[in-house]
Structure formats: structure tokens, C-alpha cells
Amino acid sequence: MINIKNITKTYNKKLVLDDVSAEIKKGKITSLVGANGAGKSTLLGIIARFIKQDTGDIFLENNALDKYKNSEIAIKVAVLKQANNLNIRLTVRELVAFGRYPHNKGRLTNADNQKIDEALKWLSLEDMQHKYIDQLSGGQRQRAFIAMTVAQDTDYIFLDEPLNNLDMKHSKDIMVTLRKLVDKLNKTIIIVLHDINFASCYSDEIIAMKEGKIVLKGAPKEIMCECAIKNVFDVNCQIIDAHGNKICIYQ
């Protein structure tokens, strides 16, 4: 479980996060949604300990996040940022192997290779594991980076807009995989999403942000109503039921 208590963050005198508090349940997918500039990525960065908050506290499994050593955090939390640029040419397998570094410091064991094999299988990358990353499509490349976080074998996975620039098929495939990681391996996933419908269909909890504040939080069926979407995104819409999910139609 992750407890977020009274977090504030200011950039250049602009309040980006304003007294944000929330609880992230273990073994669930929690989606952070909201318009551009709502504070989603900043909040995730603070939870991931990439960004230092001005005030407030984060607790990971009832322990203050800032009390953990970097080596301890790397075994508990895997993080995928928005931008993933490589300065060296790597194969898919070599990239995924980096996920094992917190455990072996670069000296792969048989157990590490087993975790790498499992991660490649989870993301359907076995057939292309020896291809170079720069030979892959955008969707394949993103799956490789997610496989690296899976190979890290942490209880918590944080993903900042992993569906950016992906088509519908690759986006769906990634969300299906994340859902399986939670349901079958009991991972806890926090994901920043722009598409409210992916959040609705694959999340257990949605946290909706606006202007640095949490304005709504709850299960998708509680969040997905026309007045709530209007409040969060400032857009008129219609909510329909489709195969047990609530879908937002907007123009």
C-alpha cells in the first residue's frame, strides 16, 4: 500500500500540486487521469522519488519513502518514464536484462535469465529478443521497455503515459498485459493515462486530477459519469455501457 499525505509542489512560483492526499491499494491498477498540466506526472514522479515534494509525505508499506535507500527502492519499485532514450545499441534481451541490475549488479545468474525469459514471454517478445531496439516499431519498443520493468520483479510498477504515440492495438495489448500482471502476479500498478476509456476498462481505481488537486477518486463505475467527465476534462460527453464497461463518447 502507498499512502500519499498532503503533498504540495511548486515550480517557478506556480503551484503544481496542492495538498494532494490519496491511498493506493495493493494488488490493483490505479490510473491517474486528467487534462494536460493537471499534475499527474509530477505526482507520479514524487511517488517514484524522482522529484522532491515541497511539503507532505509518502509512505510505502507504512514506512516513509525517504527513509529507503536507493538500492532498497529499486527492489520494491520499477518505474518507466515518458521518455526512454538509449545512447547505446542494445538488443531487446539486453535491454530487458537491465531490469535485473538491482538484484545482481550486472552479473546475470540462471535465476536472472529465468526472470528475463518470463518478462519476454509476458510481453510477447520471445521471437524478437535478439533484434536491436532501433529495428523495432514504436509499439514493440514500448513493450520492450515495459518488459524491462517486469524483469525487475518488483511489487510496484509505475508507468508514466506508456500508451503515448501507440495505435489502438498496441495500446490495448499493453493494457491487457498490465491487467494480467495484477491479476496473476499480484503486482501493484500506478499508470498515468490520457485515454479515459482505457482507464475505465482496465483500472480498479481511478484518481482524477485537475489544476493540481485530486477532484475524484474511486472505481471506474463511480468516476464514469457525464458530470464527472465534464468537471475533470471540461468536455461534454455521453457515457454508454459496452460489454460491462462504461465508455465515454465525446466530440
Side-chain angles (χ1 to χ4, degrees):
M1 180 182 295
I2 298 172
N3 284 307
I4 303 163
K5 296 187 176 182
N6 308 114
I7 295 296
T8 63
K9 181 64 181 177
T10 302
Y11 287 120
N12 298 322
K13 298 183 180 181
K14 180 181 179 181
L15 190 60
V16 179
L17 293 177
D18 184 5
D19 195 28
V20 171
S21 297
E23 180 181 286
I24 307 297
K25 297 177 182 178
K26 197 163 186 178
K28 307 290 185 182
I29 294 180
T30 299
S31 292
L32 304 180
V33 305
N36 290 338
K40 308 180 297 297
S41 292
T42 299
L43 179 59
L44 189 70
I46 290 172
I47 301 170
R49 221 165 69 166
F50 292 147
I51 301 170
K52 178 64 178 175
Q53 68 268 30
D54 296 332
T55 63
D57 297 288
I58 307 285
F59 293 89
L60 175 63
E61 298 176 351
N62 297 319
N63 297 311
L65 187 66
D66 59 7
K67 300 300 183 184
Y68 284 96
K69 297 178 181 178
N70 289 338
S71 58
E72 294 173 329
I73 285 290
I75 291 173
K76 287 183 171 292
V77 176
V79 183
L80 185 63
K81 299 180 182 181
Q82 284 188 49
N84 297 291
N85 300 315
L86 292 174
N87 295 321
I88 55 176
R89 199 167 191 236
L90 297 173
T91 66
V92 171
R93 188 177 186 88
E94 288 169 338
L95 175 67
V96 175
F98 272 118
R100 300 303 302 162
Y101 187 84
H103 303 273
N104 60 42
K105 301 301 183 286
R107 297 180 180 179
L108 292 177
T109 66
N110 289 335
D112 292 320
N113 280 308
Q114 182 177 345
K115 292 294 184 182
I116 293 166
D117 288 338
E118 290 172 359
L120 290 167
K121 185 175 181 180
W122 272 107
L123 276 299
S124 302
L125 293 168
E126 303 103 308
D127 292 343
M128 59 187 75
Q129 62 180 295
H130 299 300
K131 286 187 176 182
Y132 286 98
I133 295 297
D134 59 11
Q135 296 175 319
L136 304 183
S137 69
Q140 292 168 339
R141 188 180 302 114
Q142 190 72 325
R143 277 159 48 204
F145 278 102
I146 294 174
M148 179 179 65
T149 68
V150 173
Q152 199 170 330
D153 194 27
T154 57
D155 290 336
Y156 297 88
I157 299 175
F158 301 161
L159 304 168
D160 192 359
E161 300 187 21
L163 308 186
N164 270 8
N165 303 315
L166 299 186
D167 61 28
M168 286 187 290
K169 179 185 184 305
H170 285 106
S171 296
K172 172 184 171 290
D173 289 347
I174 285 174
M175 293 305 299
V176 167
T177 298
L178 297 179
R179 185 73 257 171
K180 289 179 179 177
L181 289 171
V182 169
D183 294 340
K184 296 185 178 181
L185 299 183
N186 200 37
K187 302 294 185 183
T188 301
I189 295 176
I190 307 177
I191 180 171
V192 175
L193 289 174
H194 275 299
D195 192 316
I196 189 65
N197 289 327
F198 277 119
S200 175
C201 293
Y202 295 100
S203 304
D204 298 292
E205 299 280 334
I206 294 176
I207 294 176
M209 301 186 66
K210 184 176 183 179
E211 297 177 352
K213 292 178 176 288
I214 292 176
V215 292
L216 291 168
K217 51 187 174 181
K221 63 182 180 180
E222 299 167 348
I223 300 297
M224 294 295 288
C225 67
E226 292 163 8
C227 59
I229 299 301
K230 172 68 174 177
N231 179 38
V232 174
F233 293 98
D234 195 25
V235 64
N236 294 317
C237 70
Q238 178 185 1
I239 303 297
I240 65 170
D241 290 305
H243 306 291
N245 295 310
K246 290 187 177 293
I247 301 297
C248 176
I249 297 175
Y250 54 91
Q251 293 182 347

